[in-house]
Amino acid sequence: MPELPEMETYRQQLTRLIQGAPITGTEVTRPKSLNVEPDSFIRKLTGNRIIRIDRRAKHLLFHLVSGEVLLLHLMLGGWMFYGTEDEKPDRTTQVVIHFGTKHLYFIGLRLGYLHMHSLPEVDLLLGKLGPEPLDSSFTFPQFQQVLKSKKSNLKLSFVDQSFLSGIGNCYSDEICFYAGILPLRKLSSLTEEEQNRLFQAMRSVLLEAIQFGGYIDEPLFIGDRLTGQFDAKCRVYDREGEPCLRCGHPLIKTEVSSRKCFYCANCQA
DNA sequence: AGTTATACCCGGACGC
DNA sequence: TGCGTCCGGGTATAAC
């Protein structure tokens, strides 16, 4: 669910909201979300500070003064809220980190987690991830190399985190639509011109989604006007039967290896 | 090696 | 309104 643009939006906003702020308390209501005992987790966080927030693929890395890293993956349906107890949405929370009167609430962590690691451990854990699609050092020739690394179709390749990292079910469809290429196309069938269109589409879609705060429909804090604006700008995802924004033909929904997949049969080839 | 099936997890939406 | 049922979906791992 939350993919690269959603996590990047969280990273940017949280950096502004909590970077450097003293952690005054920690609550754990779902120990399964953690990789250490709740007591130990609370002890490690309380009194500590987050000095920097990085994003790698769909993960956020909260770097603590102590040198340890809190590694967050929201998986499906996970989201966050920052604010006072009064402002908190009426949802079950799994972990809460206190910053004085305002708290960071972790909500919807089912398969999602908050794991405490040393820096080398994090490097090891994230080592198998493919390149960051928006990294300035990730150029078109490198994209072409990556395309050679798999024999499958576009849909499955885009959601494979060892192929490219950070793209999930929604943005894979959005990128294919923007490029005018069917998600079921085999990588080996792509012409160089199509490869180039995909590369440009990938950058455009992800950058636009970040600019508009991703598609998460819950605001991060009261008065947050950024988060979720991209939800209205998704062109194909979850729009089965709706007219294609480019040609008007009804959008098709299909299933690819038990994943939802949306496309326009008329203007994607 | 490359691809595919399966377990994991439980809040909340939905039906009656 | 209340209670029971079932879906969603990224990732690790096992199984082809």
Side-chain angles (χ1 to χ4, degrees):
Chain A
M1 310 259 304
E3 306 174 35
L4 188 156
E6 288 68 41
M7 298 313 284
E8 181 60 25
T9 301
Y10 276 139
R11 188 193 68 76
Q12 292 175 10
Q13 304 217 79
L14 284 175
T15 295
R16 198 162 40 76
L17 294 167
I18 62 170
Q19 179 169 267
I23 296 170
T24 55
T26 310
E27 292 172 49
V28 177
T29 49
R30 182 180 179 267
K32 271 188 181 182
S33 299
L34 314 178
N35 64 335
V36 294
E37 290 300 312
D39 283 355
S40 168
F41 185 81
I42 291 165
R43 219 176 315 116
K44 282 168 184 284
L45 277 180
T46 307
N48 216 326
R49 277 182 293 130
I50 293 162
I51 51 172
R52 192 176 76 255
I53 307 173
D54 285 338
R55 181 191 57 74
R56 177 74 174 97
K58 304 175 190 173
H59 305 259
L60 285 192
L61 287 68
F62 297 95
H63 294 271
L64 301 166
V65 171
S66 62
E68 287 185 294
V69 179
L70 195 53
L71 182 66
L72 168 69
H73 197 310
L74 292 173
M75 294 288 237
L76 60 139
W79 54 288
M80 291 179 272
F81 181 81
Y82 178 77
T84 65
E85 246 181 280
D86 289 345
E87 295 167 341
K88 176 186 112 49
D90 184 23
R91 295 293 180 88
T92 312
T93 61
Q94 286 76 45
V95 178
V96 189
I97 301 177
H98 299 231
F99 299 89
T101 56
K102 297 210 173 186
H103 313 313
L104 180 59
Y105 295 93
F106 295 87
I107 304 164
L109 296 185
R110 294 174 207 176
L111 302 182
Y113 55 80
L114 267 168
H115 285 180
M116 193 68 77
H117 289 293
S118 68
L119 210 46
E121 282 171 351
V122 172
D123 286 342
L124 193 65
L125 286 166
L126 304 183
K128 285 177 182 171
L129 291 170
E132 285 286 332
L134 294 179
D135 196 332
S136 56
S137 65
F138 187 61
T139 58
F140 179 60
Q142 284 170 311
F143 179 64
Q144 288 182 297
Q145 281 303 311
V146 167
L147 288 175
K148 285 181 192 167
S149 71
K150 277 177 77 81
K151 290 168 182 171
S152 165
N153 58 45
L154 271 174
K155 177 68 179 179
L156 288 176
S157 301
F158 270 136
V159 299
D160 179 350
Q161 299 301 293
S162 67
F163 175 80
L164 288 173
S165 63
I167 297 169
N169 214 29
C170 172
Y171 290 106
S172 57
D173 287 355
E174 294 297 318
I175 291 166
C176 288
F177 174 77
Y178 197 97
I181 298 171
L182 288 168
L184 288 157
R185 284 280 298 280
K186 295 277 181 193
L187 299 191
S188 55
S189 76
L190 298 169
T191 66
E192 181 153 5
E193 193 269 327
E194 287 173 327
Q195 292 177 345
N196 192 49
R197 255 157 53 206
L198 270 175
F199 184 68
Q200 300 305 329
M202 179 180 74
R203 294 186 52 83
S204 299
V205 168
L206 295 176
L207 286 170
E208 188 192 14
I210 291 170
Q211 185 193 338
F212 289 97
Y215 58 62
I216 295 246
D217 55 1
E218 307 281 353
L220 177 59
F221 55 93
I222 300 294
D224 175 10
R225 296 275 172 265
L226 174 67
T227 303
Q229 282 188 81
F230 191 74
D231 188 39
K233 291 179 172 285
C234 286
R235 294 160 176 93
V236 286
Y237 196 73
D238 263 342
R239 294 186 179 277
E240 181 188 15
E242 291 181 35
C244 169
L245 294 172
R246 197 183 283 143
C247 74
H249 280 64
L251 296 173
I252 304 290
K253 175 188 180 179
T254 183
E255 202 171 285
V256 183
S257 299
S258 72
R259 290 167 177 282
K260 289 192 290 184
C261 178
F262 300 86
Y263 63 93
C264 173
N266 187 50
C267 59
Q268 288 174 262

